[in-house]
Amino acid sequence: MPSLNRHTLHQLPERGVRVPGADRQHLTPGVLHLGLGAFHRAHQALVFDQLLQAGHRHWGVHGVAMRSTTLADALARQDGLYAVQVASQQGLHWQVPGALLRTSVAAREPEVVRQAIAAPGTRWITLTVTEKGYTSELAALLRQGLAERQQAGLPGLTLASCDNLSDNGRRLQALCTAEPGALSDWITAHCAFPNSMVDRIVPAATPERLQAARQALGLDDDGALGTEAFWEWVIERRFVDPDDGPALASAGVTVVDDVRPFEEAKLRLLNGSHSAMACLGAVLGLAVIADCIGTPAIRQFVHSLMSHEVAPHLSRRDWPAYRDALLARFGNPELKHSVHQIATDSSQKIPLRWPPSAERQLAAGQRISHLAFCAAIYLRYLRGVNELGQPYTVNDPLAEPLQALARQHAGDAAATVRALLTQPALWGPSLPQDARWTRAVQQHLERIQAVGALAALHELNAATPA
Ligand code: CS2
């Protein structure tokens, strides 16, 4: 079967597949995107595609994979074209966005990336490099390119971090300007680092999805993805070119003065629930999030966690509607969002997702039973074997030391809690000192070990007032 590329684009079935309209060959990328994972390609690339279709010619993307070469090269062979399957309540439809004009791999060709940062046509850098990607290596790459812009007398750039981190724009700015000197002063004066919150559930591609693409498109597509209909991008009004705000807004992006209410609601309600279900699912041997939320005891737990332990501390007032929409999104049967994908890098994700709520509940003298259950199931998850006795891989930069502790103390809840709940990198400075917290986590872990995770969850649900 021929592959999807610019020569075969016209072979796509005419009905039901949205294809790029812009004259792509004559576009120069205005956006350099770092982190060519599934998320960007099914979220921002579609926003930029919409802007291109509306005649805003500078939103074409040069996509950079940080390390892996396979996908970047496959997409290059396909002229940056790939299909996205969108699953809504109305059914499934396919779309081929045309925003991705070029791909590179940072580890293989850092020169190309540096040149792209310094290119006169580049106006924005967007980043989805994951929580663990904000390293000195990233700072060095960005600073080299920005130094060239400074020397060439070019304008600064808007650099938008789109990772699930709180205050992500400010963090990126701090990383890029950590070294004092003329370059950092220029970056501060000429570049803009908006905070932003991005949301769309985009599972990693699977062989089944590639097969579905083949069937629907009549073409091979190594970059095919699936996602939900919902998407949200909330960005702080802080751009080098002030016209970018209205342009983005015209494509459905929400431009605001303060992203924090959106970002904290998303991190703690969506991502916090995701991490809890990921650990629970892994321990119970459930494959995907829809299986978790389809289990009544888990659904009740997640609903209660969000309503009583997380939402009270959010400034987003419309949280009940947001919560209900999330429960529906988690249940989307087409997404097949792997629990192990979400559990990946948990040590980097948990600090942003659970402790902020637990600290506030404790300070207010309110219940923490569900958040403590999250921590307990994570400790159990670290053992790397589910309740059916099947082993799984814990993918995490801290997997080795954390798993060694979890295994060393397996079966002894008090010792596990002493060893693992005292890690400030995961839980922050105050939680490990709080006896109410450690006691609650230990009790849950004891029950999980004694009766199994699902039965322990039933006990918790039964003991919780609705
Ligand atoms: C997930 C997110 O993998 C994870 O950690 O919680 O990727 C989540 O699907 C997105 O943030 C949704 O916008």
Side-chain angles (χ1 to χ4, degrees), residues 39 131 164 198-202 228 266 270-271 274-275 329 337 341-344 349 353:
F39 181 80
E131 292 86 345
N164 287 325
V198 288
D199 187 6
R200 187 171 219 182
I201 297 175
V202 189
E228 59 182 342
K266 194 243 168 179
L270 189 163
N271 299 115
H274 249 176
S275 287
R329 291 170 65 195
H337 199 184
Q341 185 194 338
I342 299 169
T344 296
K349 296 173 175 176
R353 299 182 179 195

Side-chain angles (χ1 to χ4, degrees), residues 198-409:
V198 288
D199 187 6
R200 187 171 219 182
I201 297 175
V202 189
T206 56
E208 291 74 33
R209 191 84 61 194
L210 301 190
Q211 179 55 29
R214 234 167 262 137
Q215 255 166 22
L217 309 177
L219 295 171
D220 267 333
D221 177 4
D222 290 335
L225 290 169
T227 188
E228 59 182 342
F230 178 93
W231 69 272
E232 198 172 28
W233 184 2
V234 184
I235 191 163
E236 185 184 15
R237 193 176 288 102
R238 191 183 274 259
F239 311 112
V240 171
D241 181 348
D243 290 345
D244 290 345
L248 288 169
S250 74
V253 177
T254 309
V255 183
V256 297
D257 291 324
D258 186 6
V259 172
R260 238 159 284 187
F262 300 92
E263 153 202 294
E264 66 185 18
K266 194 243 168 179
L267 275 169
R268 298 182 204 167
L269 287 174
L270 189 163
N271 299 115
S273 304
H274 249 176
S275 287
M277 287 188 282
C279 296
L280 254 169
V283 168
L284 291 170
L286 301 175
V288 297
I289 290 295
D291 294 341
C292 297
I293 209 69
T295 305
I298 300 182
R299 188 185 179 89
Q300 187 180 337
F301 166 76
V302 171
H303 186 281
S304 186
L305 168 73
M306 292 202 275
S307 311
H308 301 294
E309 299 188 24
V310 179
H313 311 288
L314 297 175
S315 44
R316 190 168 172 164
R317 293 274 149 240
D318 62 345
W319 66 261
Y322 187 70
R323 173 202 59 201
D324 294 346
L326 281 178
L327 290 168
R329 291 170 65 195
F330 293 150
N332 188 328
E334 298 294 338
L335 291 179
K336 307 202 171 44
H337 199 184
S338 150
V339 296
H340 287 286
Q341 185 194 338
I342 299 169
T344 296
D345 293 348
S346 283
S347 73
Q348 314 294 302
K349 296 173 175 176
I350 284 173
L352 298 146
R353 299 182 179 195
W354 301 335
S357 304
E359 284 163 7
R360 284 168 181 79
Q361 284 288 91
L362 286 161
Q366 298 296 322
R367 73 176 218 206
I368 38 108
S369 53
H370 288 51
L371 288 157
F373 192 92
C374 294
I377 198 68
Y378 172 63
L379 302 190
R380 170 64 188 80
Y381 160 80
L382 282 174
R383 267 189 240 162
V385 56
N386 69 21
E387 289 184 344
L388 312 171
Q390 297 154 337
Y392 51 79
T393 305
V394 172
N395 284 312
D396 193 298
L398 296 181
E400 224 179 282
L402 295 178
Q403 284 205 275
L405 291 170
R407 286 177 174 147
Q408 184 187 341
H409 301 296

Side-chain angles (χ1 to χ4, degrees), residues 143-163:
R143 281 175 65 87
Q144 282 161 14
L146 291 170
E148 279 189 37
R149 290 191 82 85
Q150 180 198 13
Q151 281 147 23
L154 288 167
L157 300 177
T158 298
L159 293 98
S161 162
C162 302
D163 280 295

